[in-house]
Amino acid sequence: MGNSALKAHLETAQKTGVFQLTGKALTEFPEDLQRLGNLRTIDLSNNKIEILPPLMGKFSLLKSLSLNHNRLSRLPDEICKLKKLETLLLSGNQITCLPADFGQLSALKTLNLSSNQLRAVPSQLCSLRHLDVVDLSKNKIQAIPDEVAGLQAIELNLNQNQISQISVQVSHCPRLKVLRLEENCLEISTLPHSILSDSQISLLAVEGNLFEIKNLRDLEGYDKYMERFTATRKKFV
């Protein structure tokens, strides 16, 4: 892409606070962006960016960052300085882990890490008090750990992973209403009954595991789960 085209995008972003440059085969994050202190939205999806520079930490007003379908394998520590960031979209990359201070993204509400290379649920997510929706589908996660009890999310998507173990602590997530576990490696015996009998979860999606859905009906607490499901079903239609 020519300099004149980039310049035009930069001029527009200066006025609007929105920089969008998708599907242009960019291999690097445009360093000229650091001159724009007013940016609230950056969308660089569908490019070929492999590394995010430390200057990422300078966008103090940024609310939405979209980098879906690039070639990122890690995030810079500086991304954790984005205190106003509410939406972070990173699906279709090669990310294996999150920065240690990721929990400092205190305003984050929506996080999409679908189709990456994560092997575990990142413990840093439990420090995010305003998190609503987390998408970790299509990774290589094998278990839901005890630490998940601290997760504040309303919806957690773990479809198409390799999960064979679930900690009973998932039942203690204070706001979790939707838990998606489709196409994993769960046996019916590894599904904690407390998810059904003693949690806030009103939509449990477990199709495509190592048991038949009708067998859920035999589990202790199924009636209680169905009461919650029926009461909130209208919201999910």
Side-chain angles (χ1 to χ4, degrees):
M1 190 186 65
N3 285 337
S4 58
L6 179 58
K7 189 176 180 183
H9 280 281
L10 290 168
E11 287 174 359
T12 302
Q14 184 74 59
K15 297 170 189 167
T16 62
V18 177
F19 185 85
Q20 185 175 26
L21 201 57
T22 62
K24 299 296 184 185
L26 293 181
T27 56
E28 294 183 348
F29 186 90
E31 297 220 351
D32 291 336
L33 280 186
Q34 64 186 309
R35 300 205 302 266
L36 304 180
N38 65 322
L39 286 181
R40 288 175 172 77
T41 299
I42 296 175
D43 186 354
L44 291 166
S45 298
N46 297 299
N47 282 293
K48 298 179 179 179
I49 299 169
E50 295 184 15
I51 294 174
L52 294 181
L55 66 86
M56 288 302 306
K58 295 184 177 179
F59 300 108
S60 58
L61 300 178
L62 198 64
K63 287 193 167 184
S64 175
L65 177 58
S66 300
L67 289 156
N68 293 330
H69 303 290
N70 275 278
R71 296 178 178 177
L72 300 170
S73 57
R74 58 180 294 276
L75 301 174
D77 293 341
E78 287 79 8
I79 205 169
C80 305
K81 296 177 181 176
L82 303 177
K83 300 298 183 191
K84 297 200 171 178
L85 193 66
E86 296 178 2
T87 302
L88 181 55
L89 307 179
L90 294 161
S91 72
N93 281 280
Q94 290 142 33
I95 295 167
T96 56
C97 61
L98 298 180
D101 293 333
F102 194 81
Q104 292 181 6
L105 290 171
S106 52
L108 200 62
K109 294 179 181 177
T110 301
L111 175 62
N112 190 335
L113 281 161
S114 175
S115 299
N116 276 279
Q117 299 290 321
L118 296 171
R119 293 186 174 276
V121 176
S123 59
Q124 299 95 315
L125 301 186
C126 296
S127 303
L128 300 168
R129 312 320 290 172
H130 298 288
L131 201 55
D132 289 335
V133 179
V134 184
D135 190 345
L136 301 174
S137 63
K138 300 180 183 178
N139 277 277
K140 297 181 177 179
I141 297 168
Q142 298 180 4
I144 300 180
D146 290 347
E147 296 84 46
V148 80
L151 190 69
Q152 296 291 322
I154 297 169
E155 175 168 346
L156 176 59
N157 187 342
L158 288 160
N159 289 346
Q160 291 179 274
N161 275 279
Q162 300 164 9
I163 295 170
S164 59
Q165 293 180 299
I166 302 179
S167 168
V168 68
Q169 296 296 326
V170 76
S171 311
H172 299 155
C173 294
R175 299 170 69 218
L176 191 61
K177 297 281 200 304
V178 180
L179 179 58
R180 302 187 186 278
L181 287 162
E182 295 180 7
E183 296 181 46
N184 276 280
C185 306
L186 292 167
E187 304 267 5
I188 193 122
S189 59
T190 56
L191 202 64
H193 294 183
S194 56
I195 291 179
L196 300 173
S197 63
D198 190 28
S199 78
Q200 301 289 319
I201 295 167
S202 55
L203 181 60
L204 177 65
V206 287
E207 288 82 1
N209 279 280
L210 305 179
F211 59 88
E212 292 187 42
I213 290 299
K214 64 181 182 182
N215 294 342
L216 274 182
R217 298 176 203 152
D218 301 330
L219 293 183
E220 182 186 342
Y222 182 77
D223 291 345
K224 280 190 175 181
Y225 163 69
M226 282 309 295
E227 286 175 16
R228 296 193 305 273
F229 174 80
T230 304
T232 57
R233 183 172 49 184
K234 292 166 189 170
K235 296 179 184 177
F236 299 123
V237 171

